[in-house]
């Protein structure tokens, strides 16, 4: 199908991104609350909880590239991959409710089994909706900057979903502490409704456009994955993404432990901090997208990740317990303004897919985004599994005042344990050979081919 230069309307751009409200509400709930919910409220040991979540993410890593290949084979011009948005949305809502409604299980291994099974089911549903949704962006428009705008809208909607996920539990837990389990059950129901509503919105709105979908070659999945990794521009970018995602994963898993047990902040203060961080993050996306239009995508990512890595490594070692203003101003506002550069990494992947299209003559967005998510889940599995193991080894005890050694370990894990991964990602991307000029060259070739 011949690509068109007709720009997408803002309603279509926002409509496409709306599914991320529900998707990221789920992702944020998992990253912020799931580990601490099962250790502090359900009573599962930290090392077993971390192991269950790591195994669930490994399962998710396997299903992501499979789903990408399946969606490539079943996508067609007029409707693209839209049907998976509806199917995945419904399944994800059901899985969310099951995960936060565990039955009364007495034994540690019974709790472990429920968490592992429910988490694997949820991740399968998440794969069904998320991989096709990510791949759709590169098939809605052939304009590289318009793709950055699409990913900008995605991250804005993701942040809106994250604010919902961060704020709802605090509102529901405003009563007695023994209501924790029932409150989180209600929370999962509300998030499930958001998932179904936002997925339906995206499905309906994107029905008005024609996707630039090419018929997939009938080749084995192994061959498709092998050829994806054979792309010289893709391999190093995946490494950068894995390194950065490990840092993000450790940050998300440790955040509530650090704020609760090290800084000794109240639930209300944590809610305010997370909300401010996400608002600043959302506003910063506008700056980073505009910055990339005149400076390319590589250099802004290197700059933002470098500053983020240094500041994170230093700041969270020095924050004094009981102080709310400093982490709010320096962390939520200061560091939040740097996180917007992350939006450019996903957008850069669409340019790599164009590079693959130039060299192979076919467009395999599903395979590339599936492998991309595969790498992401491996990184998150390592991050959350390692975090659970570290918490157990440092002597963390749920719902107790922690020793000075545990508090110091939490600050090291949340500070340099996160920041060094951002610095490493910046160093690796600085050596990336698929430069902005080469990306523009690929676009010129595609434009000549029409």
């Amino acid at each position: 199908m011949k690509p068109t230069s007709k720009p997408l309307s803002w309603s279509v751009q926002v409509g496409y991104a709306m599914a991320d409200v529900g998707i990221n509400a789920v992702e944020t709930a998992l990253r912020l609350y799931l580990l601490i919910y099962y250790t502090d409220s359900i009573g599962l040991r930290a090392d077993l909880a971390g192991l269950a979540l790591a195994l669930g993410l490994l399962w998710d890593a396997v299903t992501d590239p499979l789903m990408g290949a399946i969606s490539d084979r079943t996508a067609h011009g007029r409707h693209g991959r839209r049907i998976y948005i509806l199917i995945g949305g419904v399944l994800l809502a059901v899985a969310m409710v099951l995960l936060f409604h565990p039955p009364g299980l007495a034994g540690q291994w019974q709790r472990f089994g429920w968490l592992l099974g429910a988490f694997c089911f949820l991740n399968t549903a998440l794969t069904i909706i998320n991989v096709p949704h990510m791949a759709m962006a590169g098939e809605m428009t052939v304009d590289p900057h318009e793709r950055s705008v699409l990913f900008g809208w995605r991250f804005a909607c993701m942040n809106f979903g994250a604010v919902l996920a961060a704020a709802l539990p605090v509102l529901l837990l405003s009563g007695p502490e023994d209501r924790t389990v029932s409150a989180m059950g209600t929370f999962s129901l509300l998030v499930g409704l958001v998932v179904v509503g936002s997925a339906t919105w995206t499905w309906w709105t994107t029905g008005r456009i024609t996707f630039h979908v090419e018929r997939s070659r009938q080749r084995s999945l192994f061959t498709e994955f092998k050829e994806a990794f054979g792309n010289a521009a893709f391999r190093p970018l995946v490494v950068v993404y894995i390194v950065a995602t490990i840092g993000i994963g450790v940050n998300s898993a440790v955040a509530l432990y650090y704020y609760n047990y090290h800084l000794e902040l109240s639930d209300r203060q944590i809610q305010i901090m997370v909300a401010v961080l996400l608002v600043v993050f959302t506003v910063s996306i506008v700056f980073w997208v505009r910055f990339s239009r005149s400076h390319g995508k590589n250099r802004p990512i290197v700059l933002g990740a470098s500053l983020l890595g240094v500041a994170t490594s230093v700041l969270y070692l020095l924050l004094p317990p009981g102080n709310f203003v400093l982490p709010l101003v320096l962390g939520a506002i200061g560091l939040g303004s740097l996180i917007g550069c992350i939006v450019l990494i996903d957008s850069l992947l669409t340019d790599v897919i164009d590079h693959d299209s130039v060299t192979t003559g076919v467009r395999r967005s599903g395979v590339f985004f599936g492998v991309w998510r595969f790498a992401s889940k491996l990184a998150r599995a390592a991050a959350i599994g390692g975090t659970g193991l570290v918490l157990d080894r440092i002597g963390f005890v749920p719902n107790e005042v922690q020793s000075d050694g545990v508090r110091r370990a939490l600050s090291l894990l949340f500070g340099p344990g996160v920041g060094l991964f951002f610095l490493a990602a910046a160093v690796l991307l600085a050596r990336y050979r698929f430069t902005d000029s080469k990306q523009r060259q690929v676009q010129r070739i595609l434009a000549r081919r029409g």
Side-chain angles (χ1 to χ4, degrees):
M1 182 172 297
K2 184 177 180 180
T4 176
S5 59
K6 182 180 179 181
L8 299 173
S9 67
W10 71 269
S11 61
V12 170
Q13 293 174 356
V14 176
Y16 160 73
M18 279 302 299
D20 277 302
V21 174
I23 292 171
N24 208 50
V26 172
E27 297 248 23
T28 301
L30 301 180
R31 292 177 180 180
L32 287 180
Y33 300 117
L34 189 57
L35 182 61
I36 198 169
Y37 174 66
Y38 268 83
T39 59
D40 287 24
S41 299
I42 304 303
L44 183 60
R45 282 175 15 211
D47 57 339
L48 290 180
L51 176 61
L53 299 185
L55 291 175
L57 288 170
L58 289 175
W59 164 254
D60 195 16
V62 173
T63 59
D64 279 339
L66 292 175
M67 187 63 218
I70 291 170
S71 69
D72 277 346
R73 284 163 165 74
T74 55
H76 55 92
R78 176 56 184 162
H79 299 290
R81 310 165 196 265
R82 293 172 55 244
I83 187 61
Y84 295 112
I85 307 301
L86 274 184
I87 296 173
V90 173
L91 293 177
L92 184 58
V94 173
M96 185 67 179
V97 173
L98 290 176
L99 187 61
F100 283 92
H101 279 82
L105 302 172
Q108 286 289 317
W109 288 105
Q110 290 176 312
R111 296 168 185 167
F112 170 84
W114 178 270
L115 174 57
L116 177 60
F119 193 50
C120 285
F121 175 43
L122 182 140
N123 280 322
T124 302
L126 197 57
T127 293
I128 292 173
I129 185 175
N130 210 2
V131 172
H133 183 248
M134 293 175 70
M136 283 167 59
E139 298 167 344
M140 291 174 63
T141 176
V142 296
D143 183 347
H145 177 70
E146 196 166 36
R147 290 173 180 171
S148 292
V149 173
L150 281 178
F151 281 102
W153 279 116
R154 278 194 61 216
F155 272 75
C157 288
M158 288 167 67
N159 287 346
F160 181 68
V163 170
L164 285 177
L168 280 175
V170 177
L171 297 176
L172 295 171
L173 291 170
S174 58
E177 292 189 4
D178 59 2
R179 293 179 60 253
T180 299
V181 174
S182 62
M184 292 303 291
T186 303
F187 163 71
S188 67
L189 287 170
L190 294 175
V191 170
L193 291 175
V194 171
V195 169
V196 173
S198 62
T200 303
W201 190 333
T202 292
W203 175 81
W204 178 263
T205 306
T206 55
R208 295 179 291 177
I209 66 172
T210 298
F211 293 87
H212 308 305
V213 177
E214 299 176 17
R215 178 63 61 185
S216 175
R217 295 177 295 179
Q218 297 302 312
R219 308 176 65 137
S220 70
L221 296 180
F222 177 78
T223 301
E224 294 279 9
F225 301 152
K226 181 180 178 181
E227 290 184 354
F229 278 110
N231 186 293
F234 183 61
R235 290 194 307 271
L237 187 62
V238 169
V239 174
V240 172
Y241 187 59
I242 288 174
V243 171
T245 303
I246 291 176
I248 294 171
V250 174
N251 177 279
S252 300
V254 180
L256 292 187
Y257 292 97
Y258 177 82
Y259 291 133
N260 280 330
Y261 294 104
H262 179 73
L263 293 188
E264 301 176 346
L265 301 181
S266 67
D267 289 341
R268 185 69 60 184
Q269 289 173 325
I270 295 173
Q271 176 194 6
I272 294 172
M273 187 177 303
V274 172
V276 170
L277 170 66
L278 293 173
V279 169
V280 173
F281 175 23
T282 303
V283 173
S284 75
I285 292 173
V286 178
F287 165 77
W288 289 105
V289 170
R290 291 184 176 178
F291 190 43
S292 71
R293 189 167 194 172
S294 56
H295 294 82
K297 300 174 184 177
N298 296 27
R299 284 177 289 179
I301 298 172
V302 171
L303 174 63
S306 298
L307 294 175
L308 189 61
V310 172
T312 299
S313 298
V314 175
L315 176 63
Y316 293 114
L317 284 177
L318 302 178
L319 289 176
N323 190 298
F324 172 64
V325 176
L326 285 178
L328 177 66
V329 175
L330 299 179
I333 298 177
L335 298 184
S337 64
L338 300 174
I339 304 176
C341 70
I342 296 174
V343 69
L344 302 177
I345 299 179
D346 283 332
S347 179
L348 186 58
L349 176 60
T350 61
D351 297 325
V352 172
I353 296 173
D354 285 341
H355 175 271
D356 178 74
S357 179
V358 167
T359 57
T360 65
V362 296
R363 188 168 190 86
R364 302 177 295 177
S365 302
V367 168
F368 276 93
F369 275 104
V371 174
W372 190 252
R373 297 252 318 157
F374 172 82
S376 168
K377 295 308 169 58
L378 289 181
R380 285 183 57 196
I384 199 165
T387 297
L389 186 61
V390 169
L391 288 173
D392 185 69
R393 294 297 180 267
I394 65 176
F396 169 77
V397 180
N399 304 310
E400 299 288 343
V401 176
Q402 306 301 311
S403 67
D404 291 340
V406 171
R407 292 157 64 99
R408 181 65 176 173
L410 287 174
S411 65
L412 286 170
L413 191 58
F414 198 58
V418 171
L420 292 178
F421 283 102
F422 292 138
L423 284 174
V427 171
L428 291 171
L429 191 60
R431 301 169 59 87
Y432 189 46
R433 299 180 64 184
F434 187 46
T435 61
D436 297 315
S437 62
K438 292 181 179 179
Q439 295 162 24
R440 290 191 293 269
Q441 182 182 8
V442 167
Q443 294 304 319
R444 288 194 295 269
I445 294 174
L446 288 175
R448 287 198 299 270
R449 290 182 179 180

